[in-house]
Amino acid sequence: MIDKIRADFPILQREVYGKPLIYLDNSATTQKPRVVVDAIVDEYYSVNANVHRGVHFLSQQATNLHEGARKTVQKFINAASTNEIVFTRGTTESINLLAFSFGEEFMKEGDEIIISTMEHHSNIVPWQLLAARKGIAIKVIPINDKGELLIDEYRKLFSERTKLVSVAHVSNVLGTINPVKEIIDIAHTNDVPVLIDGAQSVPHIPVDVQALDADFYAFSSHKIYGPTGIGVLYGKEKWLDAIPPYQGGGEMIQHVSFERTTFNELPFKFEAGTPDYIGTTGLAIALDYVSAIGLENIAAYEHELTRYATQRLKEIEGLRIYGEADNKSSVISFLVGDIHHFDLGTLLDRLGIAVRTGHHCAQPLMQRLGIEGTVRASLAMYNTKEEVDALVEGIKRVAKMF
Ligand code: PMP
């Protein structure tokens, strides 16, 4: 099975510095299977036309592909309707969209939003921009030393002024899978809606937005084997209906005059300009690819691989793992002795092993951990135990040099 999956990803056959590539930077972005790239090339070569506005054959075909992709996304996360699937450039734009539009409609000076210590900068900075514009306050859920959210502390952060909760489903540094169902239930008891940053969850665990009762859910195509530059904001229809557009332009309008403009229906109200209709096809093909393998199977395989990697890494003298939550995804952050993360990453690279080093766009979390950065190995369904062994041997080799 694993050989068949690996064969679908041409880049995994290549060498770097004359060594077989061992790609362990999947939280940053995943590699693309041939079916995804082929679908993109095919559409450019044989279907390309702008969507929604043409009466001609190609435009209709391109529109069908684009709207079919929306349906695929809807099914993938079990949204109630395609009206609730807004295409964006990615998680970052999804969160910025919501910070702007929700902030415009529902937040005023003195209001509060709750985020967490382990957020990616893209779930911090948009709220800070809103805070600067509107004078809102940002409250932060603390974590324990294993890298788990302190739910009792979270309960205490609510006040009459709390308007939104926005937290990651899975941490891109610690790998923690947060109890988002519980987080959402607690928020709803306080009559507060919740945005879930699903950038690191959708590729690794089955997500059902209705079962979670999430009000908003964001994710990126490129982290789930799809193309770059496309992503999704899911929002319950009642919320998306209630908030104003994010950007103005073509596609998002119903009628324009110099006196008064009316906006298009959902989801087009939030999709100004020509959409990335080729990107949406690529995303849909990627989701179909993942569905054919089965997210349950992927999750089980990655879980076992992560267990194996954690156990093997712990054999290394002086290696410390950051993020040891009971419920963890396939992300392992670590440091070894006093070797700088950048040096370790650079030397591993020379062995053909691609890992991420640095603060991983989570500087407030680094501050909480009392470090500047880590080395991060993030595993995907095409990684193998042999690759994990090579990582362990590589780290041992580098550690000997210091
Ligand atoms: N949130 C999390 C948890 C992430 O890991 C990332 C990507 N590293 C993002 C948000 C931002 O995603 P994108 O850059 O695709 O917009």
Side-chain angles (χ1 to χ4, degrees), residues 27-28 90-93 120 122 168 170 172 197 199-200 220 222-223:
S27 289
T91 308
T92 303
E93 190 176 55
H120 188 278
S122 64
V170 172
N172 66 314
D197 170 353
Q200 300 294 347
S220 301
H222 71 99
K223 293 189 197 280

